[in-house]
Amino acid sequence: MLRLSKLTDYGVVVLTRLAAGSQAGRVVAVPELAQATGLQEPTVAKVLKILGQAGMVEGMRGARGGYRLTRPLDAIPLSEVIIAFEGPIALTACVEGSAASCESSGLCPVHGRWEPVNRAVRATLERITVADLVAPEPIASYRQNALTL
Amino acid sequence: MLRLSKLTDYGVVVLTRLAAGSQAGRVVAVPELAQATGLQEPTVAKVLKILGQAGMVEGMRGARGGYRLTRPLDAIPLSEVIIAFEGPIALTACVEGSAASCESSGLCPVHGRWEPVNRAVRATLERITVADLVAPEPIASYRQNALTL
DNA sequence: GGAAATCGGACGCAATGGGTCCTATTTCAG
DNA sequence: CTGAAATAGGACCCATTGCGTCCGATTTCC
């Protein structure tokens, strides 16, 4: 587990397909993207709305409208996509809400100690971009320096 | 989100409390642990069963029975706890099950590309031990070398 | 022999994510 | 000027799954 939602996965797929289909600022409509990805149109629409609110894609209304990327894929860190679909990256509920929500805070020896872990995971996800996920060859960049797999 | 389950959180809490209560090989029973952590007895029991199957704690049956750690906390990486409660660390369902389960594998450009990401997150979680979560002071060890926060 | 534990499994409730649909708004084409 | 085509934003229902609980079986100490 530790699984991210399907929507997030769809988000990455749609982003990559959008990059392939919208060269030179051309916009791509939902039906075409649904066709290309094999996903349902309503689902693709929902994903694009979320990506739009997060500022990764830009929607053009009206006939001949559609979506296009606001940035190249290598300028979109994976963490940004995940945050858009799932909210702040935090492994436990303790840290994100109010500290008072943890009823056993007085007894819990791990109280507040998860935050460094969250930062570590966050940093890991910030170093990987969406472009890395479509690279046809094994990725060397974040393999060597940053993440030291 | 990207949230791990409450059981996993409980697991860490119980492990740390067990370490505090079972000095010198003494075993600690469920009621005492429940008392000390503020969790319900059945829940603590369930958590300990899972930790036991994963080999992190050892259960002694019969009267005067209880649980004890099989290893010090600094020998238990966080990844091991997470895997025990949530299964293999994989961000998407694509990679863990059969590849055929992804219906749009022919269209999906990200197909199989998540695995390096999984490895990165996995590596991050392997470097942090349960002992790091109870350290009273800000952790320097994995802050400098391994994770470069 | 009885009490006090763990062990293993099964069961039901609640919450969260996933997928769909509807309406309003915008824009291009004829 | 009208209609078609597209996005924008929200609301809704359903399926899944995690969570908590409980029960019976087994083991061990007093």
Side-chain angles (χ1 to χ4, degrees):
Chain A
M1 315 279 175
L2 193 80
R3 192 158 303 128
L4 38 79
S5 74
K6 288 187 182 181
L7 270 298
T8 308
D9 195 7
Y10 296 162
V12 173
V13 172
V14 168
L15 279 175
T16 58
R17 201 61 193 71
L18 194 56
S22 75
Q23 309 285 9
R26 174 175 157 265
V27 296
V28 185
V30 168
E32 183 179 338
L33 279 172
Q35 173 78 15
T37 56
L39 302 174
Q40 297 297 320
E41 283 194 22
T43 301
V44 173
K46 185 174 191 172
V47 167
L48 283 166
K49 286 175 209 170
I50 296 173
L51 290 172
Q53 289 175 341
M56 285 173 269
V57 305
E58 192 180 10
M60 298 297 170
R61 285 189 169 190
R64 299 295 176 91
Y67 290 91
R68 72 170 160 226
L69 294 173
T70 59
R71 279 171 282 164
L73 291 186
D74 58 14
I76 305 178
L78 213 49
S79 59
E80 191 171 340
V81 182
I82 295 176
I83 289 171
F85 285 95
E86 327 214 6
I89 296 178
L91 269 55
T92 59
C94 282
V95 287
E96 63 176 24
S98 62
S101 63
C102 185
E103 62 283 350
S104 61
S105 60
L107 298 162
C108 176
V110 212
H111 184 57
R113 296 266 87 223
W114 277 101
E115 188 49 28
V117 181
N118 292 330
R119 273 204 299 267
V121 173
R122 220 174 280 147
T124 299
L125 264 14
E126 281 168 359
R127 291 205 188 84
I128 308 176
T129 73
V130 180
D132 292 328
L133 285 178
V134 293
E137 299 303 321
I139 310 154
S141 62
Y142 61 89
R143 242 193 152 141
Q144 295 167 352
N145 50 9
L147 301 178
T148 68
L149 293 182
Chain B
M1 314 283 176
L2 193 81
R3 192 158 303 129
L4 39 78
S5 74
K6 287 187 181 180
L7 270 299
T8 307
D9 195 7
Y10 296 163
V12 173
V13 173
V14 168
L15 279 175
T16 58
R17 201 59 193 74
L18 195 55
S22 74
Q23 309 286 10
R26 175 176 158 265
V27 296
V28 184
V30 168
E32 183 178 339
L33 279 173
Q35 173 78 14
T37 58
L39 301 174
Q40 296 297 319
E41 283 194 22
T43 301
V44 173
K46 183 173 193 170
V47 166
L48 283 166
K49 286 175 211 169
I50 296 173
L51 290 173
Q53 291 173 342
M56 283 172 271
V57 304
E58 191 180 10
M60 297 298 170
R61 284 191 169 190
R64 300 295 178 88
Y67 288 91
R68 72 169 160 228
L69 293 174
T70 59
R71 279 171 282 164
L73 290 187
D74 58 14
I76 304 179
L78 213 51
S79 58
E80 190 171 340
V81 182
I82 294 176
I83 289 172
F85 285 93
E86 328 213 5
I89 296 178
L91 268 56
T92 59
C94 281
V95 288
E96 63 176 24
S98 62
S101 63
C102 185
E103 63 283 351
S104 60
S105 61
L107 297 164
C108 176
V110 211
H111 184 57
R113 297 265 85 225
W114 279 99
E115 188 50 28
V117 181
N118 292 330
R119 274 203 299 268
V121 174
R122 222 174 279 148
T124 300
L125 265 15
E126 281 169 359
R127 291 204 189 85
I128 309 176
T129 73
V130 180
D132 292 328
L133 286 178
V134 293
E137 299 303 321
I139 311 153
S141 61
Y142 62 88
R143 238 188 153 146
Q144 295 166 353
N145 47 11
L147 301 177
T148 67
L149 294 181

